Amino acid sequence: MTLSPEASYRERYGSEVTPPAEWTEVLAQQLAHRSVRSYRPDPVPDETLTALIAAAQSAPTSGNLQLWSVVAVREEARRTRLAELAGEQDFIAEAPLLLVWLADLARARHVTEQIGQASSEGADFVEAALLGFVDVALAAQNAALAAESLGLGTVFVGAIRNRPLEVAAELELPANVFPVFGLTVGHPARYDETTVKPRLPQEAVLHHERYALEPQAAHVDAYEEVLNEYYAAAGLPMSWVRRVASRFGSVAGLKGREHLREALRAKGFQLR
């Protein structure tokens, strides 16, 4: 069911927001995004996967360098092993398709050296890694939106980075290729039970001309109330601020990702 623009904003923010004079199906699809963690076993056809990758490759990419790749994982046993590596999240094994998105400097290094350059030392710097991470995020978001436009459900899986070297071994990733996150894709089993999660008020994230931190406090407080109502209805532990604090208040909240610098270097990302 397609919601009105007013209802779409109300779901996303938990309050009334004035929609633009012109409303499009793309806007409606974007605002309707929700995480889906329960899937039917129906496979995702090859032609659908081709369309998702075409959408991904249509995303912006810095300098047309295209510093990303993706591994499509359909084999149940492999999805099960990856689910265990990603915090034992069962929905990863349940989804018929897992896309593991990769920052990929291997192809660029190979091309550089193939044309006779003495080295590819420019790829040793933080800038190159950052380009790869930005490129793959833009590509994956395009793919996710395309999947949802086709009636499929998705959810991003950052826990792929909990044990990245083991994920890399499972996928046989060469040097200079790093797993950034996963994306499960499939036909939702209980789509009506999924909901749009409210986001921070725009006043907390949108700045005009200059950044301002202090005024955000009031909007965070307002968001805490809105999201607590959402969590209560969903039967989830309350408090967004506590969720943020649990992630950044101690190293334990990183769940193994405190070792990412070492893991990146182990895969050839020198980060100079």
Side-chain angles (χ1 to χ4, degrees), residues 186-221:
H187 299 274
R190 297 187 296 273
Y191 189 76
D192 290 343
E193 295 180 14
T194 64
T195 53
V196 171
K197 185 180 295 181
R199 295 291 200 241
L200 284 163
Q202 288 197 9
E203 292 85 351
V205 301
L206 174 62
H207 303 264
H208 295 280
E209 310 304 334
R210 294 179 296 176
Y211 184 94
L213 180 60
E214 289 186 8
Q216 295 180 35
H219 302 299
V220 168
D221 289 343

Side-chain angles (χ1 to χ4, degrees), residues 4-10 16-24 27 31:
S4 68
E6 292 82 3
S8 295
Y9 272 125
R10 192 161 52 248
E16 300 297 328
V17 178
T18 303
E22 294 186 19
W23 190 254
T24 69
L27 280 168
L31 268 70

Side-chain angles (χ1 to χ4, degrees), residues 121-257:
E121 65 177 354
D124 288 342
F125 290 81
V126 170
E127 165 68 0
L130 184 62
L131 286 178
F133 276 73
V134 171
D135 265 13
V136 74
L138 293 173
Q141 176 56 28
N142 256 28
L145 183 61
E148 290 169 8
S149 76
L150 295 171
L152 298 168
T154 68
V155 66
F156 282 95
V157 185
I160 285 292
R161 298 190 303 280
N162 287 8
R163 296 158 70 179
L165 295 182
E166 291 170 80
V167 171
E170 177 66 44
L171 301 179
E172 300 184 8
L173 304 184
N176 300 292
V177 179
F178 196 83
V180 181
F181 47 75
L183 179 73
T184 55
V185 182
H187 299 274
R190 297 187 296 273
Y191 189 76
D192 290 343
E193 295 180 14
T194 64
T195 53
V196 171
K197 185 180 295 181
R199 295 291 200 241
L200 284 163
Q202 288 197 9
E203 292 85 351
V205 301
L206 174 62
H207 303 264
H208 295 280
E209 310 304 334
R210 294 179 296 176
Y211 184 94
L213 180 60
E214 289 186 8
Q216 295 180 35
H219 302 299
V220 168
D221 289 343
Y223 181 61
E224 181 80 346
E225 292 184 16
V226 169
L227 200 59
N228 277 344
E229 291 181 9
Y230 171 89
Y231 283 145
L236 296 171
M238 294 190 196
S239 185
W240 179 76
V241 296
R242 290 186 181 277
R243 285 172 181 255
V244 173
S246 69
R247 173 63 66 89
F248 298 115
S250 71
V251 173
L254 296 175
K255 299 181 179 179
R257 300 179 213 180

Side-chain angles (χ1 to χ4, degrees), residues 82-114:
L82 289 168
E84 181 179 354
L85 293 174
E88 299 182 348
Q89 299 188 76
D90 292 341
F91 69 87
I92 297 172
E94 180 185 322
L97 175 63
L98 169 66
L99 299 176
V100 182
W101 297 87
L102 315 168
D104 185 351
L105 299 183
R107 181 169 52 244
R109 284 185 182 274
H110 180 73
V111 167
T112 301
E113 292 163 9
Q114 282 291 103

